[in-house]
Amino acid sequence: MQSDILSGKKIIVGVSGGIAAYKSCILVRELAKRGASVKVVMTPSACQFVAPLTFSSLSGNDVIVNVFPADQKDGASVRTWHIDMALWADLMIIAPATVNTVAKIANGFADNALTTLVLALRCPMIAAPAADVDMYENKFTRGNLNKLENSGVYIVEAEAGDLASGLKGKGRLADIFKIIDAAEIVLHGDKKDFAGRKILVTAGPTYEDIDPVRFIGNRSSGKMGFALAKAAFLRGAEVTLISGPTSETIYPEINIVKVRSAVEMKKAVDKQIKSNDVLIMSAAVADYKPLQKGARKIKKVDGLKKIDLAENEDILGTLKSTGKFIVGFALETDNELKNAAAKLKKKNLDMVVMNSLREKGSGFEFDTNKISILHKNGHKKVLPLLSKFRAANIILTEIANSLTKAST
Ligand code: CTP
């Protein structure tokens, strides 16, 4: 999913000395691909893992390693590069942030180029820590990371999995694309405002089987629902995603329930809704299913000419009494706002997101979407064509505002 907000942004990538430093090469490349200007600062230990030349080639800029650069040698020039660079940046991302670098930053040390720069920053900062499991879970490390988080640093926690040591556990640098999503959230000014909230998201199509080979489906890719789940997670929510068949991937921390048919999706929603505060029903649920499913492949000689259909139950339509904050989607081609408003009322929703299939670049399969948001109280927000991730964040902000209003 390409970002539309990183373009033109000035980003410092700080690389400290861990094996995950090699993954930061991809981070720099991906940020540059999205139109950001990237400058890299490395600790001396990071240079043991990756050569500065690699980062210089990928960013197209000089890489800072020494507090006293070569041209400053013997007092040949007077430069306050750390101040210039700090003022230049819109965002600094430290990835990987080793436990040593995290400890230094938490305590205000300025003993290398990276930590010196951090002290001079005025822009927001993201730290993506990585270490072996015991070092990562160590109480001093946790204390230092909490200190950073409490000072406004956005932490992208490491993931669990196979580690370079051969051990298994939490400590692997977060997926690069998760760090990029976090950069977009931070640059847009979104906060971890869903901390303590539980969000249920549905995504993708449902497949209604005709026989073991064929099905009735729709063109939903699941991209919008997956973007909502990712954005909600990065904003601090505990997220459960119920997804129909799709090729989209999700962060490992998000609990995913895979379903196929509308009946399975309804069962999963009914089970999960009790333990969640919000439901965002972005799935394109099939309205009809074949009345009968053939146990074996229907052969041409059997002469299948028509398929009798039965209506699927409307999942949203049965959730009125749950007392949860319920968001529906309305996919429309004509009389869009009018139809969306009618669905809001009929399905007794708190909010409906109208998706127009008329707009170029909007709807199924695209990475962009043109949406309008309608609230129960009549308030309406019409948005331009945006990346699905950005659209997801705006939907979440509308939900967060409604929840805050409801609790005051
Ligand atoms: N939906 C649902 N259960 C269904 C069908 C749809 O919960 N059996 C939900 C969708 O997930 C979406 C909302 O209802 O959030 C609107 O879906 P949409 O297909 O736009 O509307 P329908 O109610 O199916 O009406 P129509 O197809 O006639 O436009």
Side-chain angles (χ1 to χ4, degrees):
M1 196 174 303
Q2 290 291 313
S3 160
D4 48 5
I5 94 151
L6 298 181
S7 172
K9 292 292 187 305
K10 301 182 196 106
I11 302 177
I12 300 172
V13 174
V15 185
S16 56
I19 181 59
Y22 81 93
K23 295 184 184 169
S24 301
C25 301
I26 318 282
L27 175 65
V28 170
R29 195 191 62 187
E30 290 294 329
L31 291 170
K33 246 169 76 179
R34 285 163 173 73
S37 299
V38 186
K39 292 186 179 176
V40 176
V41 55
M42 300 173 75
T43 64
S45 337
C47 302
Q48 300 287 324
F49 293 91
V50 181
L53 180 62
T54 308
F55 285 112
S56 178
S57 308
L58 291 169
S59 67
N61 283 309
D62 290 346
V63 171
I64 302 266
V65 178
N66 300 308
V67 182
F68 302 103
D71 63 356
Q72 219 169 346
K73 215 171 159 211
D74 307 323
S77 84
V78 179
R79 278 176 57 201
T80 51
W81 68 265
H82 56 301
I83 305 296
D84 300 343
M85 199 165 165
L87 293 179
W88 168 86
D90 296 313
L91 173 71
M92 179 163 180
I93 305 173
I94 307 183
T98 58
V99 293
N100 189 33
T101 291
V102 167
K104 287 181 191 176
I105 295 171
N107 291 288
F109 280 68
D111 65 343
N112 60 34
L114 190 156
T115 50
T116 303
L117 186 54
V118 166
L119 287 188
L121 283 184
R122 288 187 185 178
C123 66
M125 187 163 99
I126 292 176
D132 214 80
V133 56
D134 296 306
M135 296 172 79
Y136 194 80
E137 304 285 15
N138 179 288
K139 62 177 188 280
F140 298 117
T141 303
R142 296 318 307 170
N144 290 330
L145 281 169
N146 286 341
K147 219 165 152 185
L148 257 58
E149 188 149 45
N150 293 336
S151 324
V153 177
Y154 187 105
I155 307 291
V156 185
E157 287 282 351
E159 289 168 7
D162 293 325
L163 301 168
S165 61
L167 295 178
K168 278 187 198 302
K170 202 168 172 186
R172 270 160 54 147
L173 182 71
D175 186 276
I176 293 306
F177 294 97
K178 192 194 281 179
I179 300 174
I180 289 174
D181 288 344
E184 190 167 327
I185 282 185
V186 171
L187 278 171
H188 202 260
D190 299 323
K191 305 253 155 33
K192 291 202 173 177
D193 50 354
F194 279 87
R197 298 232 189 248
K198 291 184 174 176
I199 301 206
L200 181 61
V201 181
T202 67
T206 63
Y207 285 178
E208 310 301 323
D209 289 331
I210 299 168
D211 67 16
V213 181
R214 307 170 182 97
F215 60 85
I216 299 172
N218 61 64
R219 290 172 53 204
S220 169
S221 59
K223 285 177 193 280
M224 191 64 229
F226 276 62
L228 278 158
K230 286 178 180 176
F233 171 81
L234 288 172
R235 287 169 69 160
E238 196 180 309
V239 181
T240 302
L241 176 63
I242 300 173
S243 176
T246 155
S247 55
E248 291 294 298
T249 53
I250 197 73
Y251 306 151
E253 298 92 337
I254 293 179
N255 171 28
I256 180 160
V257 181
K258 292 185 182 166
V259 297
R260 184 169 172 86
S261 63
V263 169
E264 283 175 23
M265 185 165 281
K266 175 161 169 44
K267 224 164 127 190
V269 169
D270 287 346
K271 186 173 169 211
Q272 298 285 344
I273 186 111
K274 301 177 198 92
S275 50
N276 281 278
D277 309 311
V278 176
L279 166 67
I280 310 178
M281 191 79 200
S282 75
V285 186
D287 289 327
Y288 296 96
K289 62 180 174 205
L291 197 55
Q292 269 155 355
K293 181 186 160 189
R296 284 182 298 160
K297 186 183 173 194
I298 302 165
K299 306 293 286 179
K300 245 183 290 180
V301 289
D302 299 338
L304 179 75
K305 298 243 170 38
K306 66 179 176 95
I307 301 167
D308 289 319
L309 299 174
E311 199 168 336
N312 274 321
E313 218 178 325
D314 192 303
I315 304 174
L316 278 181
T318 61
L319 300 174
K320 283 178 194 168
S321 56
T322 57
K324 310 290 178 171
F325 192 90
I326 311 250
V327 182
F329 269 66
L331 186 72
E332 307 293 343
T333 54
D334 309 284
N335 297 322
E336 293 113 313
L337 286 170
K338 201 169 151 242
N339 283 336
K343 276 179 195 167
L344 177 87
K345 205 160 167 220
K346 185 172 159 228
K347 302 196 184 201
N348 203 9
L349 307 173
D350 293 289
M351 207 173 111
V352 73
V353 180
M354 193 278 285
N355 234 177
S356 174
L357 269 192
R358 274 182 186 224
E359 302 282 336
K360 209 164 164 255
S362 180
F364 296 136
E365 293 150 16
F366 293 106
D367 284 328
T368 47
N369 220 359
K370 168 96 177 70
I371 59 162
S372 298
I373 299 171
L374 283 76
H375 289 266
K376 194 162 64 175
N377 64 9
H379 184 74
K380 190 166 58 190
K381 197 167 204 158
V382 179
L383 295 157
L385 191 70
L386 294 166
S387 77
K388 285 188 173 166
F389 190 67
R390 180 91 319 263
N393 273 296
I394 294 174
I395 294 167
L396 289 173
T397 301
E398 293 290 307
I399 297 173
N401 291 343
S402 301
L403 291 173
T404 314
K405 268 187 216 142
S407 64
T408 49

